[in-house]
Amino acid sequence: MARRKKIYEGKAKTLFEGPEPGTIVQYFKDDATAFNAEKRDVIEGKGVLNNMLSEYFMNGLTQIGVPNHFIRRLNMREQLVRACEIVPLEVIVRNFAAGSMAKRLGIEEGTPLPRPIVEYCYKDDALGDPLVSEEHIAAFGWASQQDMEDILSLALRVNDFLSGVMFGVGIKLVDFKIEIGRVYEGDFMRLIVADEISPDSCRLWDMETGQKLDKDVFRRDLGSLTDAYSEVARRLGVMPKGATPMKPTLIN
Ligand code: TMP
């Protein structure tokens, strides 16, 4: 088979040119990074888990009519997605105080927020993805006023969907980050959910014990990251019981 053309290599994923125009193959690596890649490791099986979990969440969004880039999963580590122009923002939705917001505002982690709070960070690794306001976004032309209305609506719909799915399996959705892409259909531009939705980009706490089932396990050295992600996958029925990300097809 001819070698595929690599389009972009990120910290956790590599993008290759897809088989048809307007498509991209998204390959999930086992690399884990935190604190703008100051901390890094390779965690066997993480890529497989995130590929399957992102497929699960994106398919769920499609079912409720939230547009997203997912087309189909190709194999254990790759999925076919729609090519899009990524809006240079990380869109964060928070239901409970945690992480950088808890620190910035001096709020104890786990405190319920009066309503979901949406934050925007400018996607720039060299700057450490700084928090920005809608004033910055408008003034620098990263997104228009109409785009921002659409982005807010997408973010809140994803929050409602993900919170509900997680609640159903005894997990609290503390916060998450999504990325948004632009696709062009003739003269028309549409915004869709892109990148990935996985425990790398969410905070997920067990409702009973408060146990962390997300990338904070790696950031804060709390134990096995694959055990945590496998638990999420197992509860959602994404990973058959008895299977592991290294032996993902084993069915008991
Ligand atoms: P934060 O509290 O560190 O700002 O993170 C907020 C959410 O965004 C959390 O669910 C983790 C996710 N996140 C990413 O997906 N990528 C990142 O680079 C960072 C810093 C956070």
Side-chain angles (χ1 to χ4, degrees):
M1 201 178 86
R3 200 73 200 107
R4 283 177 309 189
K5 191 172 163 211
K6 192 194 278 187
I7 299 173
Y8 176 79
E9 177 147 11
K11 286 178 285 205
K13 297 186 293 297
T14 307
L15 305 182
F16 298 94
E17 224 166 51
E20 302 123 44
T23 65
I24 283 182
V25 174
Q26 190 165 256
Y27 175 97
F28 288 76
K29 302 194 282 187
D30 280 342
D31 301 31
T33 64
F35 315 118
N36 210 9
E38 269 174 41
K39 179 179 169 112
R40 47 171 79 232
D41 204 349
V42 177
I43 296 174
E44 199 184 344
K46 179 175 87 85
V48 171
L49 283 156
N50 282 352
N51 185 28
M52 314 248 314
L53 283 164
S54 202
E55 171 191 23
Y56 178 84
F57 296 128
M58 295 291 182
N59 274 339
L61 289 176
T62 301
Q63 274 166 20
I64 60 160
V66 177
N68 65 80
H69 74 164
F70 185 80
I71 301 172
R72 65 176 183 275
R73 187 162 59 79
L74 298 171
N75 55 51
M76 296 316 287
R77 286 189 181 272
E78 293 178 326
Q79 48 182 248
L80 190 68
V81 300
R82 256 186 100 165
C84 55
E85 240 172 53
I86 294 287
V87 175
L89 297 172
E90 303 214 325
V91 181
I92 296 168
V93 183
R94 301 180 185 272
N95 299 306
F96 298 84
S100 69
M101 195 189 82
K103 200 167 163 191
R104 190 184 334 120
L105 302 180
I107 306 173
E108 193 186 340
E109 282 207 311
T111 307
L113 299 173
R115 57 174 217 189
I117 295 179
V118 182
E119 293 177 343
Y120 305 99
C121 293
Y122 178 52
K123 257 176 79 66
D124 186 323
D125 280 343
L127 300 174
D129 300 336
L131 185 71
V132 292
S133 74
E134 290 187 59
E135 279 289 296
H136 298 99
I137 296 167
F140 295 120
W142 297 324
S144 70
Q145 193 56 50
Q146 179 63 54
D147 291 343
M148 290 313 288
E149 281 173 32
D150 294 348
I151 289 172
L152 180 64
S153 153
L154 283 172
L156 294 176
R157 289 174 78 192
V158 173
N159 188 42
D160 284 346
F161 166 75
L162 272 187
S163 299
V165 167
M166 290 303 177
F167 183 80
V169 295
I171 293 174
K172 195 150 88 174
L173 178 68
V174 173
D175 56 33
F176 65 92
K177 182 266 301 186
I178 50 170
E179 296 189 21
I180 303 290
R182 294 178 195 282
V183 289
Y184 296 89
E185 286 152 9
D187 288 342
F188 226 70
M189 188 277 294
R190 248 173 16 114
L191 295 169
I192 64 175
V193 177
D195 189 50
E196 72 177 278
I197 300 178
S198 75
D200 264 13
S201 54
C202 300
R203 281 198 175 90
L204 305 170
W205 296 0
D206 180 82
M207 222 119 73
E208 300 252 296
T209 64
Q211 189 192 351
K212 294 184 189 354
L213 299 171
D214 57 65
K215 199 167 138 188
D216 273 348
V217 170
F218 169 72
R219 294 189 190 97
R220 305 180 187 189
D221 295 317
L222 299 175
S224 160
L225 194 70
T226 35
D227 283 358
Y229 289 20
S230 297
E231 176 63 15
V232 176
R234 193 191 57 74
R235 288 196 201 183
L236 293 169
V238 169
M239 194 61 83
K241 223 175 149 197
T244 72
M246 275 69 82
K247 285 199 173 63
T249 52
L250 177 74
I251 300 179
N252 65 329

